[in-house]
Amino acid sequence: MLNGGYVERWVEGAIFPCEMAFFIAVCSLAGVDRVIESGRQDGYSTEILGDWASQNGRQIASVDLEHDAARAAACRQRLAHLPIQLVRGSAYEEFGRLARDGVGRRLALIADGPKGWPAISMIAAATDDRVQVVALHNLNPGTGGRELFERLGGKQSFYEAALKDPGPRWRELKAREIAFAGGTAARSLETSSLGVLRIDDTNRSLLRNAWRSEFGLHQPVMVRALWQLGAYAAATKLYGLSYRLLRR
């Protein structure tokens, strides 16, 4: 992160450099050999993941709707030199396919789109025995999603609690992040919003079997059942029905 110029290439809306550094550190400690990402927008976090993977023989798959054709083309060009599987489509459909395709022995799942409860439900449905790390962006203080992450993994799911005594390289990274983005970023750099949950047998079961009213019809157990039948498009429609019902 410090030597790759990524701090100064950060763009508004992307995961912050320190948050990505924390995610990669947790993945490295967990022995992750494949990361599945949903939501790449301009490809900032995806490029960091691809760079990390290219140095260690790991694999990256990234899903995005690519609604903006020009932006998507620029993103693909930016990532063309890296070994990343770029998938165009709905995360609710493609994420399930990628998580169930059998590639990789130890997986990490990271969602920066969709957001909130829909992303948590999707991640929970995809969390099988191979998944070692899950991460979600925009888990802001005081939100139910952040509280769930802290209940499953403790406050250590966020870097400010996990890194009680950060070393000099971390302090340098944080200082550069503040110097570059502190005056322009739409959200505060004081509190991280990327929750990174290390998965164990206990919280894996709690996450996989979570049943919450916020999920609507898109309950993880129902989504997983559709995926097992190969009905990935139906799982997407399940979310669409939930969205309409919850807006009433």
Side-chain angles (χ1 to χ4, degrees), residues 23-37 49 52 57-62 85 94-111 122-135 196-200 203-204 207-208 227:
F23 174 72
I24 287 174
V26 175
C27 287
S28 296
L29 288 172
V32 165
D33 58 16
R34 188 186 189 212
V35 178
I36 303 173
E37 173 195 53
L49 291 172
W52 171 71
R58 296 178 172 95
Q59 299 175 328
I60 309 296
S62 176
Q85 179 186 359
E94 301 299 337
F95 205 82
R97 283 198 178 96
L98 290 167
R100 290 180 51 79
D101 64 8
V103 179
R105 292 175 291 110
R106 299 175 71 84
L107 306 182
L109 312 175
I110 179 169
M122 180 184 74
I123 287 280
T127 300
D128 62 17
D129 291 341
R130 295 177 300 148
V131 174
Q132 307 299 312
V133 178
V134 301
V196 182
L197 180 62
R198 181 75 182 267
I199 299 296
D200 57 29
N203 60 25
R204 178 180 287 107
L207 188 60
R208 279 175 57 85
W227 287 351

Side-chain angles (χ1 to χ4, degrees), residues 24-141:
I24 287 174
V26 175
C27 287
S28 296
L29 288 172
V32 165
D33 58 16
R34 188 186 189 212
V35 178
I36 303 173
E37 173 195 53
S38 69
R40 63 177 170 270
Q41 194 167 270
D42 296 301
Y44 177 76
S45 61
T46 315
E47 185 177 7
I48 293 172
L49 291 172
D51 191 351
W52 171 71
S54 67
Q55 298 174 34
N56 298 281
R58 296 178 172 95
Q59 299 175 328
I60 309 296
S62 176
V63 183
D64 195 81
L65 283 169
E66 297 189 356
H67 274 325
D68 185 326
R71 195 175 195 179
C75 177
R76 283 180 172 265
Q77 184 176 7
R78 176 182 186 174
L79 302 173
H81 66 292
L82 294 168
I84 304 171
Q85 179 186 359
L86 299 176
V87 180
R88 178 184 179 183
S90 168
Y92 297 108
E93 183 171 344
E94 301 299 337
F95 205 82
R97 283 198 178 96
L98 290 167
R100 290 180 51 79
D101 64 8
V103 179
R105 292 175 291 110
R106 299 175 71 84
L107 306 182
L109 312 175
I110 179 169
D112 189 19
K115 310 285 189 183
W117 291 112
I120 294 173
S121 178
M122 180 184 74
I123 287 280
T127 300
D128 62 17
D129 291 341
R130 295 177 300 148
V131 174
Q132 307 299 312
V133 178
V134 301
L136 274 86
H137 195 209
N138 296 120
L139 294 178
N140 298 313

